[in-house]
Amino acid sequence: MSHDRGPMWDLRRHAAQHPDRTAIVCGGERVSYGELEALSNRIAAVFRRLGMHRGDHVASLIGNRPEALAIAWAAWRCGVYLTQMSTALTPTELAYLVGDCDARLVLADAALGDLATALQAGLPDAPVQWLSLRGPLPGHAALEPLLAQSSPSPVADEPPGALMMYTSGTTGAPKGVIRPLLPADWRGTPPFAADLIQLFGVAGDDVRYLSTAPLYHAAPLRFALAVTAGGGTVHVMERFDADQALRLIEEQTITHSQWVPAMFQRLLALPADRRAALRAPAHRCAIHGAAPCPVPLKQAMIEWWGPILVEYYSGSEGVGLTLIAAAEALDHPGSVGRARKGALHIVDDEGIELPTGRTGLVYFSGVPPFAYHKAPEKTAARTLAQGWQTFGDIGHLDAEGYLYLTDRQDDMIISGGVNLYPQEIEAVLRAAPGVWDCAVVGVPDERFGERPVAFIVPHRSSDAALPELLAAVSQHCDRHLGRFKRPAHVQVIDSLPRSPTGKLLRRSLRKLVNPTQESVS
């Protein structure tokens, strides 16, 4: 029975029609649609053989390898929840995820041997089965012999599974985002692919998509899966390198790509002659999101690449989505666009909807609700009585319905009873002479409760000495920021701590605050 509307996009369809078409390119590896379909079916068979039942949870610890996508398709084929875990986490952090998601099976890449064995050692009594792929690992059964004993063909009973991704945990412990499984007889385009195909046009045999970020994050994983559902080719970078990314765009005639603002910075930092030499006429859609993109940075990319940038605002919770194309962004600088999934609402602290232009919490309605796994109190904190849900961001709408984000609720600084928004202060700092990047955090203050502290990364071309740079920043803040908004302290730092998807790790910055360093305070 099909419960889907419109054309059905699925890996199996393309494997049947075009088995030799390339589905994934990763380094020196090429995986065809026939091979990806067969591997997914074999992994699904292994899951069933090891006792995984509908609604069970599987976790994986694997880098940017083709198997990451095959495992996700296998989970979809046998009704289990899959949690892809970050390879950048510590064994303690990974153990938390394994326990929190109730994993009954963990698959680990042998290339991550020390991390995988430390994870297992940290869970000696956990009721978990451990599998290794691409080589042996102590205490792990090898996946490959099990695959050899499994059929590459599909089975009749294939209840749909789901991804259960975790929030990045930039402000606290990661939270698993879970939704009910679809009916067991449901057949159609997988939800992890359907909306992306519709919104971004990543379906078709002419699509060649460059995946630049780690596949253990929600957006990179879902986009790559959507391309394989849609019949295109995914070019997976094992790790991001700006010059290599440009080479791939040119040599592989990439049509679609995905980025975060930190990658734009690294691209723009390449030598001018390298940037000028870029020839990519096939490149028609450069998707970016995951973190705020400063207006000057976005304008610089549009000047370089042309009007192909498309920005989205969404999150692991999937409560809604906005889009803004390049031409709109030039007319509405700083906006993340208008709602394309769900309806937008701006509300105050009491849950009352605010009029156009007023700043408040950003909520969406009209999208199936999410829940945080085993954390009803955290779900309730993101849900209003009428069912609207939020990512936890603060912003406002203009008269045309364009959304402007001010900050995250968790990042807001309350100083002397006044609400301060780090992004507003950061926007001013980025325009200061000699500043390449910056971030603002709140730190405890006996008099005011909290005070803003700024970290700045000097522009590489700046030859100003530290005292001159800080003096210029101080004068700039005096001219453009009210007294309460001015940083109480400014520190110079070589680079800002960010997650692999470019999200700023403010909690790491708070640990680096050093009031004795020369400052503008």
Side-chain angles (χ1 to χ4, degrees), residues 368-443:
F370 80 93
Y372 289 126
H373 187 52
K374 299 192 297 189
E377 73 290 349
K378 294 179 180 178
T379 305
R382 290 284 192 259
T383 308
L384 293 180
Q386 59 268 55
W388 302 352
Q389 293 190 307
T390 181
F391 296 114
D393 292 303
I394 297 168
H396 71 273
L397 293 170
D398 69 12
E400 297 177 76
Y402 284 89
L403 175 64
Y404 296 78
L405 297 178
T406 306
D407 230 302
R408 284 196 57 77
Q409 183 182 27
D410 295 335
D411 296 335
M412 187 173 67
I413 302 166
I414 303 177
S415 183
V418 177
N419 293 347
L420 306 181
Y421 302 114
Q423 287 186 29
E424 179 185 3
I425 303 172
E426 289 162 1
V428 171
L429 286 169
R430 284 193 185 92
V435 174
W436 171 247
D437 202 1
C438 64
V440 173
V441 297
V443 297

Side-chain angles (χ1 to χ4, degrees), residues 122-185:
L123 295 167
D125 301 318
V128 176
Q129 299 182 74
W130 303 88
L131 284 182
S132 69
L133 61 150
R134 289 183 169 260
L137 277 175
H140 292 64
L143 174 64
E144 284 72 17
L146 298 175
L147 293 177
Q149 300 166 18
S150 302
S151 171
S153 301
V155 298
D157 182 20
E158 289 188 328
L163 303 175
M164 193 180 92
M165 309 304 293
Y166 273 74
T167 63
S168 57
T170 57
T171 57
K175 301 177 288 293
V177 178
I178 192 166
R179 282 185 168 84
L181 293 174
L182 292 166
D185 64 345

Side-chain angles (χ1 to χ4, degrees), residues 20-214:
D20 297 327
R21 180 189 297 164
T22 301
I24 307 169
V25 180
C26 182
E29 290 188 74
R30 285 183 175 266
V31 179
S32 71
Y33 269 90
E35 291 168 335
L36 181 58
E37 165 72 6
L39 180 57
S40 300
N41 288 334
R42 290 184 189 276
I43 295 173
V46 170
F47 287 168
R48 298 185 192 99
R49 179 177 176 182
L50 295 178
M52 298 299 107
H53 298 291
R54 177 172 161 83
D56 284 343
H57 292 249
V58 173
S60 67
L61 182 64
I62 182 171
N64 277 16
R65 310 301 313 159
E67 289 89 346
L69 300 184
I71 290 168
W73 276 110
W76 168 252
R77 297 276 167 78
C78 59
V80 301
Y81 285 102
L82 173 67
T83 293
Q84 301 264 38
M85 300 189 296
S86 169
T87 61
L89 297 178
T90 66
T92 300
E93 292 168 323
L94 291 170
Y96 169 81
L97 295 184
V98 171
D100 189 72
C101 79
D102 301 313
R104 295 190 56 218
L105 174 67
V106 174
L107 296 91
D109 189 339
L112 302 168
D114 291 344
L115 184 61
T117 53
L119 165 62
Q120 186 189 39
L123 295 167
D125 301 318
V128 176
Q129 299 182 74
W130 303 88
L131 284 182
S132 69
L133 61 150
R134 289 183 169 260
L137 277 175
H140 292 64
L143 174 64
E144 284 72 17
L146 298 175
L147 293 177
Q149 300 166 18
S150 302
S151 171
S153 301
V155 298
D157 182 20
E158 289 188 328
L163 303 175
M164 193 180 92
M165 309 304 293
Y166 273 74
T167 63
S168 57
T170 57
T171 57
K175 301 177 288 293
V177 178
I178 192 166
R179 282 185 168 84
L181 293 174
L182 292 166
D185 64 345
W186 190 93
R187 298 294 179 267
T189 303
F192 54 67
D195 57 344
L196 299 183
I197 288 174
Q198 177 187 3
L199 293 167
F200 297 94
V202 291
D205 57 8
D206 65 331
V207 170
R208 294 174 296 279
Y209 168 77
L210 179 62
S211 182
T212 57

Side-chain angles (χ1 to χ4, degrees), residues 4 34 46 63 100 136 141 269 288 303 375 380 455:
D4 196 34
V46 170
D100 189 72
H288 71 100
E303 290 174 6
F455 290 82

